[in-house]
Amino acid sequence: MTTFQGVLFDFSGTLLRIESAESWLRAVLTASGTEMAESEIVRRAGELARAGALPGGPEPVALPAELAGLWRLRDSRPDRHRELYTALARQVPLPRPELYEALYDRHRTADAWAPYPDAEEVLAALHGRGIRLGVVSNIGWDLRPVLRAHGLDRYLDSCVLSCEHGVQKPDPRLFRLACRELGLAPAAVLMVGDDRTADGGATALGCGYLPVDHLPVDRRPDGLRPVLDLVG
């Protein structure tokens, strides 16, 4: 066992995973009463995925030059986040203009996210050991309702979001704030996340770092369990 007394978790791709682009598009079409041919749904969902229009999904295959600035700062403010992702979605023709905003709104709902199979088990076990737990996320909206809906918030002591502080990982200031929220020195905190650049940036502050793979939930049943062997 190490001397870690706290653990910070990334949100997307670490504790929970966003639905597929096809599921995302189908949900919005159904909710709005919009009909599309099956082949068209599959085709447009693939185009949305390649455009990087689904937050938490694949990055753009080709980012338009005029959106490069917004891309870099997308998680620093809610308005920037919405502007970027709706702009990316608008590259793909859809039958009704209001669908682009509806797609953005859908991804912020609990139904659009699924916890990894071992997420609650690991959080509950660490919480039971008296380990301080928090989420630190690059995101453009308040994810707390999603954590609450999936029953994960009960184990957390803090939640530090880039859009609420205007600072994005890997900036050490966000990790420093997250450690302060846990009441711990960075050397006593382990950061767990799927992005080796953004989440791994915690090591510059003295935190430990455990990478996990950004995989669909059915392909990563126990990716978080190694945390239990590192924290005592």
Side-chain angles (χ1 to χ4, degrees):
M1 291 289 186
T2 71
T3 57
F4 293 125
Q5 299 171 332
V7 183
L8 292 170
F9 291 92
D10 175 49
F11 173 72
S12 174
T14 299
L15 287 177
L16 298 96
R17 170 80 182 224
I18 191 68
E19 65 188 331
S20 69
E22 188 173 323
S23 170
W24 179 51
L25 177 57
R26 286 183 187 278
V28 168
L29 293 174
T30 298
S32 65
T34 305
E35 294 187 3
M36 287 178 66
E38 179 65 22
S39 60
E40 186 76 354
I41 292 173
V42 173
R43 182 160 70 96
R44 296 307 184 193
E47 291 173 355
L48 286 166
R50 289 189 292 277
L54 174 58
E59 294 191 355
V61 171
L63 180 67
E66 66 272 16
L67 296 179
L70 266 180
W71 177 262
R72 287 191 298 271
L73 298 173
R74 64 191 182 280
D75 295 317
S76 63
R77 283 194 344 216
D79 58 337
R80 288 173 177 161
H81 196 267
R82 178 182 281 272
E83 181 182 355
L84 171 75
Y85 282 102
T86 53
L88 290 171
R90 286 190 179 95
Q91 297 178 93
V92 179
L94 293 176
R96 295 168 60 180
E98 61 267 29
L99 292 176
Y100 301 107
E101 295 291 343
L103 283 169
Y104 186 85
D105 291 336
R106 163 71 186 183
H107 101 275
R108 297 188 301 172
T109 66
D111 287 344
W113 295 88
Y116 281 93
D118 58 345
E120 183 166 12
E121 171 195 340
V122 169
L123 290 176
L126 293 170
H127 181 75
R129 295 178 188 177
I131 301 300
R132 300 281 291 171
L133 302 175
V135 164
V136 56
S137 177
N138 279 353
I139 197 163
W141 48 276
D142 184 2
L143 54 78
R144 295 175 185 89
V146 174
L147 292 171
R148 190 177 308 120
H150 288 289
L152 302 182
D153 65 313
R154 72 190 77 175
Y155 307 112
L156 300 172
D157 300 293
S158 70
C159 195
V160 174
L161 311 181
S162 61
C163 65
E164 295 181 348
H165 301 282
V167 179
Q168 302 176 171
K169 296 180 291 185
D171 192 314
R173 290 176 292 175
L174 201 64
F175 295 115
R176 186 176 292 111
L177 177 60
C179 290
R180 190 180 307 135
E181 290 281 320
L182 294 184
L184 296 170
V189 176
L190 176 68
M191 177 69 208
V192 181
D194 65 298
D195 189 322
R196 285 161 173 77
T197 299
D199 300 316
T203 58
L205 201 62
C207 298
Y209 174 55
L210 176 69
V212 294
D213 294 323
H214 187 109
L215 294 170
V217 292
D218 60 349
R219 291 175 52 199
R220 208 194 78 192
D222 53 7
L224 294 171
R225 289 198 181 105
V227 178
L228 300 176
D229 296 325
L230 294 173
V231 179

